[in-house]
Amino acid sequence: MSELRADTITASNGTSPVTLTKQSAAKAWGAFDSSGTVINDSFGVSSLDDDGTGDKGVNLVNAMSNANFSTTTNVISNDHNGSNNPRYAMCNIKTTTSVDLQSSYIAGSGVFTFYDQAQDVTIHGDLA
């Protein structure tokens, strides 16, 4: 049995990192603040768009091979105006270069209400 140990793997040119393609590793992920376009930490995310209350556009550094990639997202829950209403995170629209995320909660009347909430996303799939 062979064993490979390495601290850093670089491309054949010796200077750039290896590009992840056709592997199961996440191709992009990000943790975002609840206000505006603040990225707390990320990999493969170039910027955020503030598309309205509870609606963020996540722009990717590298294009995906198609829009059928997998996303996982959730809100980083905190107390919303003193209530314990259920919170929801969803991926609304996917293109090869962006993901639209929305966050909402259900008010006492059973109505979904969009609100700005800290949110994160992980993207798996093949790069273009």
Side-chain angles (χ1 to χ4, degrees), residues 76-85 87 105 115-117:
I76 312 305
S77 185
N78 67 6
D79 190 49
H80 182 72
N81 296 329
S83 70
N84 290 316
N85 297 324
R87 278 99 169 136
Y105 70 95
Y115 72 107
D116 289 329
Q117 182 62 49

Side-chain angles (χ1 to χ4, degrees), residues 106-128:
I106 297 179
S109 61
V111 175
F112 274 90
T113 302
F114 289 99
Y115 72 107
D116 289 329
Q117 182 62 49
Q119 194 167 358
D120 59 33
V121 66
T122 303
I123 297 169
H124 286 87
D126 294 329
L127 295 174

Side-chain angles (χ1 to χ4, degrees), residues 58-116:
V58 179
N59 301 301
L60 305 176
V61 171
N62 298 301
M64 302 299 288
S65 63
N66 58 55
N68 297 320
F69 53 88
S70 172
T71 61
T72 304
T73 185
N74 64 285
V75 292
I76 312 305
S77 185
N78 67 6
D79 190 49
H80 182 72
N81 296 329
S83 70
N84 290 316
N85 297 324
R87 278 99 169 136
Y88 296 91
M90 61 194 106
C91 175
N92 187 31
I93 300 169
K94 297 187 294 187
T95 71
T96 57
T97 58
S98 67
V99 176
D100 188 55
L101 302 179
Q102 294 180 331
S103 58
S104 61
Y105 70 95
I106 297 179
S109 61
V111 175
F112 274 90
T113 302
F114 289 99
Y115 72 107
D116 289 329

Side-chain angles (χ1 to χ4, degrees), residues 24-53:
S24 297
K27 301 309 184 292
W29 60 265
F32 315 116
D33 195 289
S34 61
S35 60
T37 56
V38 177
I39 300 172
N40 293 332
D41 200 1
S42 70
F43 169 78
V45 172
S46 61
S47 63
L48 286 179
D49 298 328
D50 187 351
D51 297 329
T53 302

